Amino acid sequence: MDIAGPRPDLRQPMITGATRLYAVLGDPVAQVQAPTLLNPLLAALGRDAVLVPVHAPVDRFDDVVRGLQAIANLDGLLVTVPHKAAVRRFADRTAPAVDLSGSANALRREADGRWHADNFDGAGFVAGLEAAGHRAAGARVTLVGTGGAGCAIAPALLMAGAERVELCDLDPARTAALAARLEARWPGRTGCATRPVTDGADIVVNATPLGLRQDDPLPFDPAALAPGTLVADIIMKPRETRLLRAAAGRGLPVHHGAPMLEQQLRFYRTYFGLNG
């Protein structure tokens, strides 16, 4: 008889009474990949810490965030769809990326107890593109979706040297507000529309949630794109979205969503003080 009980799975983080907590918030949240990537990193670094998914319904979001921020051993939050714009109001201080994008995807508790917000979606997306051999510099980009992630990706593309970024969203006020912020810093390099402007585009990016579900409509039609146009999707699960399958079926190059998060790991390590 084995009185010791089941042997622990050493691949999983060991939870103790001193464990520090991080949470990733979304609605839905089942698709998030951050725990799969960050928990092995925390274990490898020997940190007594764990990242857990938290399903935060839109109508209870404020209650969820306030409750989490009240937990004394919670050190940080990651934020995904659809909360990236709303979470800014829970930050006492914001990084320039948040001010430019109008959204945040990471918050940390500072030594004085205040909360700082930053956004690494844009930097992660551009780094993922470049790691896959796709250059943002000099490219003409159509960005479909100006929600939390899209608002971060647009300035990052311009900062990386994109020639022009055409913004497209069904919410014209939100798109115009983003375009105004970008125009103030990069005059003449941004346009906005309610339908995708793909003529002459080198890269077309889906930054909408369309594709999370198998029956979602396409955010744009790959058949309208010129040969060689790169189709990028920021959705990570499923890996092969309907959009990417349709684009690949027409012989267009594609770029998956996972590299955006994978490249953010080094930013998170620095931001949360996890570099050793």
Side-chain angles (χ1 to χ4, degrees), residues 22-170:
Y22 297 88
V24 54
L25 312 181
D27 183 20
V29 78
Q31 80 285 353
V32 298
Q33 301 298 300
T36 304
L37 294 174
L38 280 173
N39 283 322
L41 172 63
L42 292 168
L45 292 171
R47 296 299 182 104
D48 188 358
V50 64
L51 173 68
V52 297
V54 173
H55 188 176
V58 171
D59 61 347
R60 300 299 305 275
F61 182 65
D62 289 16
D63 295 337
V64 171
V65 176
R66 290 193 186 100
L68 288 169
Q69 288 184 324
I71 297 173
N73 64 327
L74 185 128
D75 292 335
L77 300 170
L78 300 181
V79 186
T80 188
V81 174
H83 301 311
K84 294 180 183 181
V87 80
R88 287 177 302 157
R89 63 178 175 267
F90 296 98
D92 303 298
R93 305 182 182 106
T94 56
V98 175
D99 300 331
L100 264 176
S101 67
S103 64
N105 78 334
L107 282 79
R108 72 177 177 214
R109 190 195 302 271
E110 305 273 61
D112 62 4
R114 296 187 181 186
W115 286 83
H116 180 276
D118 209 329
N119 196 322
F120 302 107
D121 275 336
F125 179 79
V126 170
L129 275 183
E130 294 179 348
H134 308 298
R135 287 179 54 81
R140 298 179 64 86
V141 184
T142 295
L143 179 67
V144 183
T146 58
C151 282
I153 290 170
L157 287 167
L158 292 168
M159 195 174 298
E163 179 181 331
R164 186 169 179 82
V165 176
E166 296 287 348
L167 307 172
C168 171
D169 196 280
L170 295 177

Side-chain angles (χ1 to χ4, degrees), residues 76-268:
L77 300 170
L78 300 181
V79 186
T80 188
V81 174
H83 301 311
K84 294 180 183 181
V87 80
R88 287 177 302 157
R89 63 178 175 267
F90 296 98
D92 303 298
R93 305 182 182 106
T94 56
V98 175
D99 300 331
L100 264 176
S101 67
S103 64
N105 78 334
L107 282 79
R108 72 177 177 214
R109 190 195 302 271
E110 305 273 61
D112 62 4
R114 296 187 181 186
W115 286 83
H116 180 276
D118 209 329
N119 196 322
F120 302 107
D121 275 336
F125 179 79
V126 170
L129 275 183
E130 294 179 348
H134 308 298
R135 287 179 54 81
R140 298 179 64 86
V141 184
T142 295
L143 179 67
V144 183
T146 58
C151 282
I153 290 170
L157 287 167
L158 292 168
M159 195 174 298
E163 179 181 331
R164 186 169 179 82
V165 176
E166 296 287 348
L167 307 172
C168 171
D169 196 280
L170 295 177
D171 185 337
R174 183 169 66 185
T175 308
L178 173 60
R181 293 195 298 273
L182 301 179
E183 184 69 16
R185 180 158 179 182
W186 295 283
R189 292 169 60 188
T190 306
C192 54
T194 55
R195 297 176 62 85
V197 179
T198 58
D199 291 347
D202 302 300
I203 305 171
V204 185
V205 183
N206 174 39
T208 78
L210 294 176
L212 284 173
R213 300 173 179 83
Q214 290 296 325
D215 58 351
D216 281 343
L218 293 175
F220 55 87
D221 185 0
L225 304 181
T229 304
L230 176 68
V231 176
D233 203 328
I234 70 166
I235 289 173
M236 299 173 200
K237 186 178 180 181
R239 180 177 186 273
E240 299 290 343
T241 61
R242 183 182 169 205
L243 172 66
L244 294 184
R245 290 197 304 272
R250 303 192 72 84
L252 297 172
V254 299
H255 181 72
H256 297 86
M260 183 173 80
L261 176 58
E262 292 165 356
Q263 292 295 324
Q264 287 184 70
L265 284 179
R266 57 192 173 97
F267 303 127
Y268 291 151

